[in-house]
Amino acid sequence: MPVLNFSSLCRSNLCYSKIFSRTKFTKTFTKPINSARKIPKHYKKPLFEREPIVLPPRTPVIPKQKFDYFLVLDIEATCDYPDNVEPQEIIEFPVIKVNAETFIPEATFHSYVRPFVVPRLSTFCTELTGIIQEMIDQQPDFEVVFQNFLAWLEKEQVLKPGVKFAFVTCSDPDLEYFFPLQCKISEIEVPDFMKRWINVKRSFCDIPPYTYPANLTTMMKWCDITPEGELHSGIDDALNLVKVLKDLAQRGLVFDFNGSKE
């Protein structure tokens, strides 16, 4: 799988923060400005991490959660630099079904997606995500992938009456920006159950020391979790996010919705 060559990126004067930003969009498709207000007021963000981040200790008993299942999602989309792709289309769509009592993954939906508006991936996108052109050329478009996903939810009995579930993301853009934009492109109505989600970075603020993490890598560092797979691989990021979800629950966190798209 192709990986970023940091020496070549440095020679081309690309900024590290811009390369790995998942929330920087073009001026046409911008992140809603009110999203920052959803961060709890009590959070603090250390400057240069001068003080070590110490989380509450893990406990042998996980507190009872408000849901039966968590659906951990991490979307990868078309992108480029310095001028981004417009519109950005979903090219990888992984969802992991996690038992909310045991925090053990029970099933996985994973599909690559062929983009429609801009079908050719940029070199930047391939280097960032590890997704090459041949991996998506023969894949279905998003409309078919989403129908397959709904069928998977039915098969897993997630949509069964009385079942409580919540989508889980590392941050807001997956379901606040990328998914609604793709639904608009594919002329699909966004289902109500995907208009609310759990943003794990925001959930992180609900336990001491009430610190807002920058990204998934930071959360894994503070939770003392060893990352697996490749950064910005959708399925690998989702699997690592499952580990963070369980770790925070073991430290006493009860998850609840904290992100929404009206």
Side-chain angles (χ1 to χ4, degrees):
M1 177 177 294
V3 297
L4 283 171
N5 186 319
F6 287 99
S7 61
S8 63
L9 289 176
C10 291
R11 287 195 299 270
S12 58
N13 295 321
L14 294 183
C15 174
Y16 177 88
S17 62
K18 287 183 177 297
I19 292 170
F20 289 101
S21 172
R22 305 184 67 126
T23 59
K24 287 182 169 61
F25 309 121
T26 62
K27 59 184 179 181
T28 303
F29 296 98
T30 57
K31 182 179 178 181
I33 59 175
N34 65 349
S35 60
R37 292 199 292 269
K38 298 176 185 176
I39 300 174
K41 294 180 180 180
H42 60 261
Y43 92 95
K44 64 178 182 179
K45 189 171 183 179
L47 295 178
F48 308 109
E49 298 183 31
R50 291 173 180 171
E51 298 180 3
I53 301 299
V54 180
L55 301 179
R58 299 184 183 93
T59 60
V61 179
I62 296 178
K64 182 175 177 56
Q65 301 294 314
K66 299 181 179 182
F67 305 97
D68 300 310
Y69 299 104
F70 296 113
L71 298 177
V72 180
L73 168 73
D74 189 272
I75 288 172
E76 298 299 328
T78 54
C79 55
D80 204 354
Y81 182 87
D83 297 319
N84 212 345
V85 178
E86 294 188 11
Q88 290 182 267
E89 301 174 81
I90 293 176
I91 55 176
E92 186 180 7
F93 191 78
V95 182
I96 302 175
K97 175 189 174 188
V98 178
N99 187 301
E101 182 177 355
T102 64
F103 283 82
I104 296 176
E106 294 187 348
T108 300
F109 178 88
H110 181 222
S111 179
Y112 292 105
V113 186
R114 184 180 71 250
F116 173 74
V117 180
V118 184
R120 298 296 301 178
L121 299 181
S122 68
T123 300
F124 174 83
C125 184
T126 293
E127 291 180 342
L128 180 65
T129 66
I131 300 174
I132 62 177
Q133 192 67 43
E134 290 77 7
M135 293 171 64
I136 63 170
D137 280 343
Q138 303 304 317
Q139 298 300 317
D141 58 27
F142 185 77
E143 183 177 1
V144 174
V145 170
F146 188 63
Q147 290 302 316
N148 292 339
F149 173 63
L150 293 178
W152 178 80
L153 290 177
E154 292 283 358
K155 174 178 174 293
E156 293 297 324
Q157 298 187 341
V158 174
L159 301 180
K160 186 177 179 180
V163 175
K164 299 178 182 179
F165 65 93
F167 281 86
V168 177
T169 67
C170 180
S171 55
D172 289 326
D174 290 80
L175 291 177
E176 186 178 57
Y177 175 77
F178 290 112
F179 182 74
L181 175 60
Q182 183 64 64
C183 285
K184 183 177 181 180
I185 295 169
S186 302
E187 298 182 346
I188 296 173
E189 183 177 354
V190 177
D192 289 339
F193 58 76
M194 296 188 76
K195 293 180 179 179
R196 292 200 299 169
W197 58 88
I198 295 170
N199 175 345
V200 178
K201 290 202 299 184
R202 192 170 288 116
S203 299
F204 214 100
C205 298
D206 293 333
I207 60 174
Y210 310 115
T211 300
Y212 190 76
N215 48 42
L216 177 58
T217 301
T218 301
M219 286 193 288
M220 298 190 76
K221 174 184 175 182
W222 291 346
C223 290
D224 194 24
I225 297 173
T226 301
E228 294 186 13
E230 298 291 336
L231 183 65
H232 297 301
S233 160
I235 186 62
D236 289 346
D237 283 355
L239 288 168
N240 283 324
L241 187 57
V242 170
K243 296 179 183 180
V244 173
L245 194 73
K246 181 178 181 179
D247 185 89
L248 294 179
Q250 290 174 326
R251 298 178 192 274
L253 185 59
V254 176
F255 292 93
D256 202 356
F257 292 115
N258 54 25
S260 64
K261 175 75 172 178
E262 301 299 335

